[in-house]
Amino acid sequence: VRGHVLVWPGWKNLPKYLKNYQQQPDKLRAEVKKHIRELATAMKGSLLSWDVLNEPFDNHDLMDILGKDVMPEWFTEARAADPGAQLFINDYAILSGGGGDTPHRDHYEKTIQFLLEKGAPLDAIGLQGHFGTSLTSPDDLFKLLDRYARFGKPIWITEYDVVMDDLDLAGAYTRDFYTLAFSHPAVAGIVMWGFWDGSHWKNNAPMYKPDWTLKPGGKAYRDL
């Protein structure tokens, strides 16, 4: 089981009480570290990994107040609380949206570099895999995996789904995506973000319809 998530550093996703301390940076810093310590200690020995820092590109309220150096502190706190868990950074829109450079991809690369330079115990890199109708080609996917593999850390696709009305295309993409991802030596695993339409954030999961009829994506997954 993966732990998701210790710090999602935007006010809209943080525990509500933390906003009471936005004018008290020392107290805010201490409360966030306390939150990490409580969660990681409670689950110590039960989890394969933790997403320590989630989606920092557009969730940065804590860093705006406390500075960038607070991010390595969060990893250090998590490591102390649960030394056996792999510690991840995680973000979206890195693999999806086609090839090339984007501000989001550039920011993620710079953030990972910063954490490593500061000595953060970052064990692995999470690349979310939410796809819609703007699909990224296999060639571009491989180039993107290469881009983040240069850090020498295992990569996990942490949130795979492909949401579109064309189920045959979604199934073909699932087949190609899994084949491509597992062909890359840096990819250690894929977490499917729900598999059944009856319990999926977009009501359009990769494998099963609401009546448990197998979708083309589910057949492709079984074949693989």
Side-chain angles (χ1 to χ4, degrees), residues 5-165:
V5 54
L6 288 176
V7 186
W8 197 352
W11 292 128
K12 64 182 179 179
N13 296 308
L14 288 163
K16 301 305 179 189
Y17 77 92
L18 287 176
K19 201 166 186 180
N20 296 329
Y21 306 119
Q22 59 183 319
Q23 303 300 326
Q24 305 173 57
D26 289 343
K27 179 66 173 177
L28 179 62
R29 182 189 301 261
E31 285 294 320
V32 174
K33 292 174 73 172
K34 177 184 175 184
H35 175 79
I36 294 170
R37 189 162 58 250
E38 287 179 348
L39 288 180
T41 299
M43 299 305 296
K44 183 178 179 180
S46 299
L47 299 182
L48 173 72
S49 57
W50 268 112
D51 286 331
V52 177
L53 174 58
N54 193 53
E55 300 180 353
F57 178 72
D58 55 6
N59 290 268
H60 47 77
D61 291 314
L62 290 184
M63 290 83 91
D64 292 345
I65 296 171
L66 302 174
K68 290 199 308 179
D69 283 346
V70 76
M71 296 187 292
E73 292 180 13
W74 297 335
F75 282 85
T76 300
E77 195 70 41
R79 171 67 86 234
D82 188 356
Q86 274 194 314
L87 304 183
F88 278 70
I89 187 172
N90 188 55
D91 212 340
Y92 74 99
I94 307 301
L95 296 178
S96 57
D101 291 337
T102 66
H104 206 143
R105 288 168 180 160
D106 294 343
H107 178 271
Y108 200 42
E109 187 172 20
K110 290 176 182 176
T111 302
I112 295 167
Q113 184 73 50
F114 174 79
L115 288 169
L116 295 175
E117 288 175 352
K118 292 293 184 177
L122 172 65
D123 297 317
I125 297 169
L127 305 178
Q128 295 181 24
H130 298 297
F131 292 92
T133 53
S134 179
L135 298 173
T136 306
S137 73
D139 284 346
D140 286 326
L141 285 170
F142 208 85
K143 290 174 184 175
L144 289 166
L145 290 170
D146 276 344
R147 178 174 181 176
Y148 297 93
R150 75 175 181 85
F151 294 108
K153 303 293 182 180
I155 291 173
W156 278 69
I157 313 302
T158 52
E159 304 182 20
Y160 176 75
D161 56 16
V162 52
V163 177
M164 60 175 61
D165 294 333

